[in-house]
């Protein structure tokens, strides 16, 4: 399966999914004009990938800001991974946030509450 890489812009995050390593990275800020259009290739790629993933999959997130529609898209991504976890696949999340940003910590904690997969929240 091919990697998925979408370069970051001023309003959309870097998407860097390496299927062989099982590393899925999303970094930056997420407030594209149409979040659902932006994340559509992410959903399609994940749906295909989760049919035959690496032995362990890590979603590595470093998002400093998400608008409302991006939050919905991130919930969808997390639910897809949580579904794989519930089927016995090894899946985890590492959420990185700026220790000076209490809102980012609150958001990460809210996401963590919505899933059953291992979810690390890491300050930097």
């Amino acid at each position: 399966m091919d990697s998925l890489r979408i370069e970051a812009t001023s309003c959309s995050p870097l998407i860097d999914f390496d299927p062989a390593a099982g590393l899925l990275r999303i970094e930056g800020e997420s407030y594209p004009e149409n979040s659902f259009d932006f994340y559509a290739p992410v959903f399609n790629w994940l749906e295909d990938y989760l049919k035959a993933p690496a032995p362990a999959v890590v979603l590595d997130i470093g998002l400093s800001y998400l608008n409302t529609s991006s939050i919905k898209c991130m919930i969808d991504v997390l639910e897809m991974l949580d579904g794989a976890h519930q089927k016995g696949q090894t899946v985890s999340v590492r959420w990185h946030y700026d220790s000076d940003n209490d809102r980012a910590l609150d958001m990460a904690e809210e996401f963590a509450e919505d899933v059953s997969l291992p979810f690390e929240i890491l300050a930097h």
Side-chain angles (χ1 to χ4, degrees):
M1 177 165 196
D2 291 334
S3 298
L4 174 64
R5 185 171 177 94
I6 303 170
E7 294 298 331
T9 69
S10 61
C11 61
S12 64
L14 166 72
I15 306 291
D16 188 11
F17 290 179
D18 180 342
L23 182 60
L24 318 176
R25 289 188 320 138
I26 303 176
E27 297 177 358
E29 295 189 349
S30 186
Y31 55 98
E33 188 171 321
N34 187 324
S35 296
F36 300 103
D37 284 349
F38 176 80
Y39 282 97
V42 173
F43 300 140
N44 293 335
W45 190 94
L46 264 180
E47 186 177 355
D48 288 343
Y49 179 65
L50 290 174
K51 293 174 185 170
V57 177
V58 176
L59 176 61
D60 201 54
I61 301 175
L63 291 169
S64 56
Y65 176 79
L66 292 91
N67 65 3
T68 303
S69 58
S70 291
I71 289 171
K72 171 61 177 130
C73 291
M74 192 55 50
I75 290 169
D76 291 347
V77 167
L78 290 169
E79 286 178 349
M80 290 175 81
L81 293 172
D82 198 43
H85 170 74
Q86 291 175 11
K87 291 177 183 171
Q89 294 177 356
T90 302
V91 182
S92 62
V93 174
R94 291 187 306 228
W95 191 290
H96 304 268
Y97 75 98
D98 182 341
S99 60
D100 294 332
N101 187 344
D102 291 338
R103 285 189 62 220
L105 173 59
D106 292 343
M107 183 172 26
E109 289 173 339
E110 288 178 25
F111 282 127
E113 290 173 4
D114 291 339
V115 294
S116 63
L117 52 82
F119 199 113
E120 266 186 290
I121 301 173
L122 307 165
H124 63 84

